[in-house]
Amino acid sequence: MQKHYDVIIIGSGAAGLTLALHLPKHLQIGLLSKSSLLSHSSTYWAQGGISAVLDEDDHFDDHVRDTLQAGAELCHEDATRYTVESAPELIHWLTELGMPFTRERGEDGERGFHLTREGGHSHRRVIHAEDATGKALQTTLVNRVLQADNVEVIEDAIAVDLITSQKLGESGDNRCLGAYVLERRSGQVYSLSAGATALATGGANKVYLYTSNPDGSSGDGIAMAWRAGCRVANMEFMQFHPTCLYHPDAKSFLISEAVRGEGGKLLLPNGEAFMQRFDERADLAPRDVVARAIDHEMKRLGSDCVYLDISHRSKGFIQSHFPNIYRRCLELGYEMDKEPIPVVPAAHYTCGGVLTNLQARTDIDGLYALGETACTGLHGANRLASNSLLECLAFARAAADDIAIQLSEQPPQPRNLPAWDDSRVTDSDEEVVVTHNWHEVRRLMWNYVGIVRTDKRLARASSRIELLLNEIDEYYGHFKISSDLIELRNLALVAKLIIDSAIKRKESRGLHFTLDYPEALAEASDTLITPQPRRED
Ligand SMILES: Cc1cc2nc3c(=O)[nH]c(=O)nc-3n(C[C@H](O)[C@H](O)[C@H](O)COP(=O)(O)OP(=O)(O)OC[C@H]3O[C@@H](n4cnc5c(N)ncnc54)[C@H](O)[C@@H]3O)c2cc1C
């Protein structure tokens, strides 16, 4: 089967949905979601909010400066300024769509937006919808997309690979022609052709054993773009949240940093407080310092987790300040008012990704990358809190404008693309290869390429990931694909891109910390890696 659209959008989080809504209504759009449209994105789980200069005492220059500072001299000022200056209009656009931002009555009696302040921001500028901004955002955007006549939503469909002119052996500049897609229920693979294709598949945080992200964050867009010939940038900068609940059923449950803000203390398994050994601010040190300290202690003791203790606070206090956290912990058998809860740091945000320009274009004609999949230059070596949802919105709009121009100059024609060839593969007789390697990749990344790195650990990771990639490639070549196999293949490739990028950076900067080069170099530069011509997938 083959279908044609003017534009295919792969991914249905903030970036993909916003792009769909900004594209001209005469364009026919196919919007892919690898599971259900509503809740399987990082967007849905975002808590804090969206940064935007909305207060009259705040200034674009201050937001730009805060972002550049967080990014440890690696942010691109043009991308930063573009994003920051787009924010008020985009917030206005969301409000018009019905986004229920939290409001408060000001001194003048008017009900304005309530703005919070987060770490690294010099001003109150985080607009939010209570403590579940992502859920409100995803719901608002999904409702609008479902009303749009020009958007066909294709759920439970996972993009496998991009189809490019180069892969088809055509001469001239490499152009993206569409994608192969696996329909999960039927197991059939079909091709979609399009005049423009956008990758909006989110980040790659599932590459680590512990992550705050939903299951789908397997770096699919980054891996597909790389296999198609795009450069990726700054993949070594993975942001870790210091405290995720450690429990087999909790998966990705964040314990807000506000728990430490309200007096919560981190403890070793023997009950000893340890943060004061690492930073004079102890438990209130910045996110990356705390994550590094926990990682250090876990590695030193060989322990699976540390503990967070706020049991000196009353039950009433904890319930009123952290109702969701209290409820979830109780469900899992932990009474926060009586005992410490087990926590681990967790991979939270992928700062690097597919290299794009200010229009979200990649190295391949007709291919765009957006949101957490992309490296636009905004985040540099460390993301400033609440800038990521803003980036999704800002670059989706830029991409929509660019696609509209490109497709009006060169209207897309339906093309016959080769059908997916599975004539030489059989049903898998050893699914264990997929599950085993899935765990191995994530554990190896956690142990060797985590929060604190060394040359030795990276070298170990590098040789192991090569073995795993070979094994996975061989399996992929012999057996019918499944969504688990697609994700594993992407996860292992992205792991390699992270390892290679980390090996290239001979300094500590932002989120990349290595014991072998603890200082930053005098000059900051991006880590760019370029795919080599390779054997066909
Ligand atoms: C717990 C948590 C809290 C956060 N809090 C904040 C916050 O307060 N403020 C902030 O700015 N940022 C926050 N972030 C980060 C922010 O939510 C994400 O960076 C952002 O939502 C990413 O949006 P996206 O559209 O790029 O990707 P996502 O929202 O992850 O969406 C990706 C979509 O692509 C689909 N997909 C993936 N691969 C494929 C494929 N192969 N085929 C088809 N579909 C595919 C997925 O199913 C998903 O629907 C938080 C993240 C988490 C996890």
Side-chain angles (χ1 to χ4, degrees):
M1 184 177 85
Q2 173 168 342
K3 277 190 107 171
H4 176 79
Y5 296 94
D6 296 319
V7 183
I8 312 170
I9 302 172
I10 304 174
S12 54
L17 294 165
T18 304
L19 174 59
L21 292 173
H22 277 297
L23 282 166
K25 298 289 170 260
H26 66 271
L27 294 177
Q28 291 305 308
I29 301 164
L31 177 74
L32 263 69
S33 180
K34 74 173 163 185
S35 37
S36 84
L37 191 57
L38 193 61
S39 60
H40 286 87
S41 62
S42 286
T43 301
Y44 184 87
W45 296 102
Q47 296 171 349
I50 306 171
S51 56
V53 172
L54 297 170
D55 187 292
E56 57 190 26
D57 294 333
D58 195 8
H59 304 284
F60 289 145
D61 283 346
D62 294 341
H63 190 178
V64 169
R65 194 198 53 235
D66 294 344
T67 303
L68 299 182
Q69 252 170 25
E73 294 167 51
L74 212 58
C75 304
H76 296 195
E77 191 157 350
D78 54 355
T80 307
R81 193 161 284 285
Y82 163 70
T83 311
V84 163
E85 293 183 359
S86 304
E89 265 180 47
L90 288 162
I91 297 300
H92 178 71
W93 175 75
L94 285 176
T95 314
E96 300 270 288
L97 294 188
M99 171 84 183
F101 287 120
T102 301
R103 292 177 180 264
E104 64 169 357
R105 206 170 290 286
E107 284 166 10
D108 54 3
E110 293 291 311
R111 272 172 66 78
F113 293 129
H114 179 258
L115 301 174
T116 55
R117 185 166 170 181
E118 286 185 343
H121 288 278
S122 57
H123 207 91
R124 277 185 176 269
R125 66 166 76 99
V126 180
I127 185 166
H128 60 104
E130 306 208 311
D131 63 350
T133 307
K135 185 174 174 187
L137 178 63
Q138 183 86 14
T139 309
T140 304
L141 296 174
V142 163
N143 285 342
R144 290 298 170 144
V145 160
L146 291 176
Q147 290 165 24
D149 291 337
N150 64 326
V151 183
E152 186 177 342
V153 173
I154 312 166
E155 285 180 288
D156 283 321
I158 175 165
V160 182
D161 253 324
L162 299 168
I163 307 172
T164 62
S165 56
Q166 208 167 67
K167 283 188 184 175
L168 300 188
E170 294 173 8
S171 56
D173 289 342
N174 197 10
R175 180 164 190 89
C176 186
L177 307 172
Y180 289 114
V181 175
L182 170 76
E183 196 176 61
R184 291 173 72 169
R185 284 186 211 127
S186 67
Q188 296 300 310
V189 180
Y190 55 90
S191 52
L192 297 181
S193 77
T197 302
L199 296 167
T201 56
N205 302 295
K206 205 75 196 176
V207 79
Y208 287 99
L209 188 59
Y210 302 112
T211 173
S212 65
N213 282 211
D215 281 348
S217 301
S218 47
D220 295 3
I222 300 171
M224 284 189 276
W226 175 265
R227 285 194 293 267
C230 293
R231 285 173 297 167
V232 302
N234 292 350
M235 288 300 293
E236 68 275 35
F237 298 116
M238 301 295 290
Q239 190 174 67
F240 289 81
H241 192 285
T243 51
C244 214
L245 191 63
Y246 177 69
H247 187 283
D249 297 334
K251 273 200 163 173
S252 25
F253 191 69
L254 268 195
I255 304 294
S256 162
E257 291 182 78
V259 173
R260 282 181 286 116
E262 296 298 340
K265 284 222 165 318
L266 286 161
L267 306 177
L268 296 178
N270 67 4
E272 177 196 333
F274 61 92
M275 270 313 301
Q276 70 284 357
R277 281 198 270 117
F278 292 87
D279 194 288
E280 58 188 19
R281 290 160 289 186
D283 294 275
L284 296 178
R287 189 181 272 197
D288 50 331
V289 175
V290 178
R292 228 176 277 146
I294 297 175
D295 180 74
H296 179 272
E297 290 302 293
M298 281 173 58
K299 285 212 169 69
R300 184 175 71 83
L301 299 171
S303 63
D304 290 333
C305 62
V306 295
Y307 293 83
L308 182 59
D309 188 13
I310 192 163
S311 60
H312 60 284
R313 291 285 197 179
S314 70
K315 184 172 173 176
F317 178 91
I318 298 172
Q319 273 180 324
S320 66
H321 281 72
F322 310 109
N324 288 319
I325 297 175
Y326 181 81
R327 199 178 318 120
R328 185 68 183 132
C329 285
L330 204 58
E331 278 167 14
L332 294 167
Y334 302 117
E335 294 185 68
M336 288 175 81
D337 56 317
K338 298 205 171 75
E339 61 192 332
I341 55 171
V343 291
V344 282
H348 190 53
Y349 187 79
T350 310
C351 291
V354 183
L355 186 69
T356 65
N357 69 3
L358 290 184
Q359 285 76 41
R361 288 192 199 177
T362 68
D363 287 338
I364 297 181
D365 291 344
L367 181 66
Y368 294 75
L370 313 166
E372 205 169 329
T373 304
C375 183
T376 63
L378 171 68
H379 304 299
N382 195 356
R383 173 190 70 129
L384 181 65
S386 290
N387 266 356
S388 36
L389 287 173
L390 176 59
E391 184 191 42
C392 291
L393 302 171
F395 280 85
R397 192 176 63 167
D401 292 347
D402 197 63
I403 291 171
I405 295 169
Q406 298 300 318
L407 296 192
S408 70
E409 286 170 0
Q410 216 183 352
Q413 302 297 328
R415 267 199 63 153
N416 262 337
L417 296 174
W420 180 256
D421 179 8
D422 59 2
S423 57
R424 282 167 298 176
V425 295
T426 57
D427 285 324
S428 164
D429 56 358
E430 282 206 79
E431 283 291 335
V432 66
V433 173
V434 176
T435 45
H436 175 88
N437 286 338
W438 175 260
H439 293 303
E440 195 166 337
V441 171
R442 299 180 69 213
R443 191 167 285 281
L444 116 82
M445 289 300 287
W446 183 258
N447 286 333
Y448 294 153
V449 198
I451 299 166
V452 176
R453 297 158 181 177
T454 65
D455 280 353
K456 218 178 193 172
R457 287 180 197 161
L458 292 177
R460 279 189 198 128
S462 178
S463 58
R464 278 191 166 72
I465 201 71
E466 289 298 342
L467 292 176
L468 289 169
L469 276 167
N470 284 338
E471 194 171 309
I472 293 164
D473 265 3
E474 204 208 312
Y475 189 87
Y476 187 82
H478 284 90
F479 296 110
K480 279 196 180 147
I481 54 170
S482 62
S483 51
D484 286 349
L485 177 55
I486 294 167
E487 288 185 342
L488 170 66
R489 179 175 176 243
N490 292 334
L491 206 72
L493 175 55
V494 173
K496 179 176 162 51
L497 299 178
I498 297 171
I499 296 166
D500 288 353
S501 306
I503 287 174
K504 280 186 93 170
R505 187 165 290 281
K506 304 290 184 204
E507 62 167 346
S508 292
R509 179 180 301 277
L511 298 164
H512 175 75
F513 182 81
T514 160
L515 294 174
D516 292 307
Y517 313 97
E519 304 299 329
L521 294 175
E523 216 163 294
S525 60
D526 290 321
T527 306
L528 286 181
I529 45 176
T530 309
Q532 301 302 313
R534 61 195 294 276
R535 65 184 188 281
E536 199 36 67
D537 300 306

